[in-house]
Each structure stands twice: as C-alpha cells, then as structure tokens.
Amino acid sequence: MQSKASKETKSRFLFRHLATLFSLFFIFTSTSSLAAELNLAVASNFISPIKQLAADFEQETGHSIQLSFGSSGKLFAQINNQAPYDIFLSADTTKPKALIKKQLALPDSFQVYARGQLALWSLKPLNSSDLKQVLLNSRRIAIANPKLAPYGKAAKETLQNLTVWDVLKKKIVQGENIGQTYQFVYSQNADIGFVAFSQVLATNPQGWTIPIPKSLYSEINQAAVILTRSKRIELAQSFMAFLIRPDTQDKIATFGYASELE
C-alpha cells in the first residue's frame, strides 16, 4: 500500500513532466508561427540574383523563401490560373500592371526592382567587332520568344532597328525564355544569341560578348507585385522593402543589371 507522501511525490513528478511537455509544445508552436514561407514566382533571367537575395533575406529574418522560375509569360498564365504565389518578379512591367488591372495584385505594391541589359553572346570568337556584320555573318541566332519574354522583345527590336529583322528571320532559333536561349548558344545549337548580360556574368566570363546599345531597344524595366491571394501580405511587404533597399540594389547591380536607384 502506497503512503500519502509517495502519492504526492508521484503527483508532483507527473505535474512537472506535463508542464515541461506543455512548455516545449508552446515554444515549438510559437516558433513555427513566427517562421513563415514566401512563394516567389521569378522570371528566368533573375535566377542568380534572387537565389543570393533569398538567402540574405532568410538569414536576416528567419523566414524561408520558395522560388519558382519560368518565363514572365508562363508565370503570368499560372497566376491567372490561381497558382499559389505571394510575389511575382517579372522581367517587364506590362504583366504586373495587367495583374493589378485584373485585381490579382495589390496596386500599391508595384515596384521596379531592376533594369535588364541585353547582350549578344557567343562561345566562339566573333568574326567582326561590328554588331550588324556579326549578325549577318551568323548561321543561327538564338532569341527568346518576343511574345513571352521581354528580352526576346528587346532582341527583336534590336534587329528591327538595325534593319536586319526581315533578312535574318529564317536564321532565328527561338527559346521559350531567356534561360533556354542561353542554353541554345551554350550547347552550340546556335552560333550566337541575344541573352541577358547578367547571364554572361553569372556563368563566366567565357566566350565573346557584345553589349547591345540601349538606343536599339526599349528599356527592360523589371517590376514586382504582391498578389492579392497571398496570406502573408505583411511578410511580402517586408521582402519588397528589402528588394529596393540601397544595399540590395547595389548587390543586384553586381549581377549585370542597371540598379533601380540609378
């Protein structure tokens, strides 16, 4: 038969054990509620910078970033079909503005975060320093789809402004996005290609590059918006503020973009 003292000792032990378990559960659930995840839809040309920036943001805040990549047009279509993203980082301004018009993005969240720069790139030595001559001498030219990708649109504008679009149309190999366009040149399925200058810096420098004069194509302003279906609006706003912070913009510029602060 147990003594009264023995029963009280067991009761105190059980109480302390349950209290400890409750405390651990409370700490775990509180920590879990504090750490959240943002889902970002990011244009293919911005892969290298956003990986670094996401890591910086995660280290600063303790929150995590989930990244999904694709052409701006493809991501735009996914968002129209209710894809579960919180933020859309497009390679243009047209698609974010269209999402705002459709009430799929918050109007006051619109922000240009970078300006892209176009370049002509080849793994083999170029036979001339003259841009127009290099294009005319080439066998196959890779560009991104002008209807889906802003860099493809810029490439087409460049060829039109050089008055060689009609002559070179039959030589063009079209990629779905700027990432695939880069791969066409890298695999030598095209002699040369119009790529983002940032891609050349991220993977090399190897090969030969001709920066395209900005007078030949429309400015490639890259804009981001917070999507209305996001359940983490405040965290998304924090990321957008982080994105245009001076130190973040300086880092973006090192990847081959013209800073939004310039």
Side-chain angles (χ1 to χ4, degrees):
M1 185 174 178
Q2 287 184 325
S3 67
K4 184 178 179 181
S6 177
K7 288 181 179 179
E8 288 178 352
T9 300
K10 286 186 176 180
S11 295
R12 285 197 297 270
F13 174 79
L14 181 61
F15 177 78
R16 285 198 296 269
H17 184 64
L18 290 172
T20 300
L21 288 175
F22 178 78
S23 297
L24 289 172
F25 176 77
F26 179 77
I27 291 169
F28 176 77
T29 53
S30 297
T31 304
S32 298
S33 65
L34 288 173
E37 182 178 81
L38 277 179
N39 291 307
L40 272 59
V42 185
S44 297
N45 73 285
F46 207 63
I47 290 176
S48 294
I50 198 61
K51 284 183 177 179
Q52 179 61 61
L53 300 181
D56 292 345
F57 185 77
E58 289 176 338
Q59 187 173 11
E60 280 188 23
T61 66
H63 298 296
S64 59
I65 301 288
Q66 180 68 38
L67 301 171
S68 299
F69 302 110
S71 69
S72 296
K74 188 173 182 179
L75 294 172
F76 176 78
Q78 290 176 359
I79 292 167
N80 274 298
N81 288 315
Q82 303 299 307
Y85 301 128
D86 297 294
I87 295 174
F88 176 37
L89 274 72
S90 181
D92 66 0
T93 60
T94 305
K95 294 171 187 66
K97 286 178 180 178
L99 291 175
I100 290 172
K101 190 173 182 179
K102 292 183 175 187
Q103 299 184 336
L104 294 175
L106 302 177
D108 60 355
S109 69
F110 180 90
Q111 177 63 56
V112 173
Y113 63 90
R115 291 190 172 91
Q117 300 184 87
L118 190 67
L120 190 68
W121 177 63
S122 172
L123 278 177
K124 296 179 179 179
L126 299 174
N127 49 36
S128 173
S129 58
D130 180 74
L131 174 60
K132 189 171 182 177
Q133 197 58 50
V134 167
L135 290 165
L136 291 170
N137 291 342
S138 64
R139 291 179 299 106
R140 302 185 86 189
I141 305 166
I143 72 169
N145 187 336
K147 294 180 180 178
L148 293 177
Y151 283 86
K153 179 175 177 286
K156 183 177 179 179
E157 287 176 349
T158 298
L159 294 173
Q160 288 173 328
N161 286 324
L162 289 171
T163 66
V164 293
W165 171 255
D166 291 330
V167 176
L168 297 177
K169 273 195 295 188
K170 60 183 180 295
K171 295 184 177 183
I172 288 175
V173 182
Q174 200 170 102
E176 180 183 323
N177 55 50
I178 198 67
Q180 191 176 67
T181 305
Y182 180 91
Q183 285 301 318
F184 283 155
V185 182
Y186 187 78
S187 62
Q188 298 190 42
N189 286 313
D191 334 351
I192 57 176
F194 286 95
V195 300
F197 181 53
S198 57
Q199 289 174 299
V200 178
L201 290 185
T203 55
N204 309 310
Q206 61 175 308
W208 283 259
T209 307
I210 298 178
I212 306 301
K214 292 179 182 178
S215 59
L216 292 176
Y217 61 93
S218 303
E219 212 169 44
I220 306 173
N221 287 326
Q222 302 196 186
V225 283
I226 298 172
L227 304 178
T228 52
R229 71 191 313 268
S230 172
K231 295 179 181 178
R232 305 172 184 87
I233 299 296
E234 288 187 7
L235 182 57
Q237 289 171 335
S238 296
F239 182 82
M240 294 287 274
F242 163 83
L243 196 58
I244 60 168
R245 223 167 57 186
D247 59 324
T248 305
Q249 285 289 304
D250 286 344
K251 187 166 286 187
I252 288 173
T254 66
F255 284 93
Y257 293 86
S259 169
E260 165 58 10
L261 298 180
E262 289 180 355

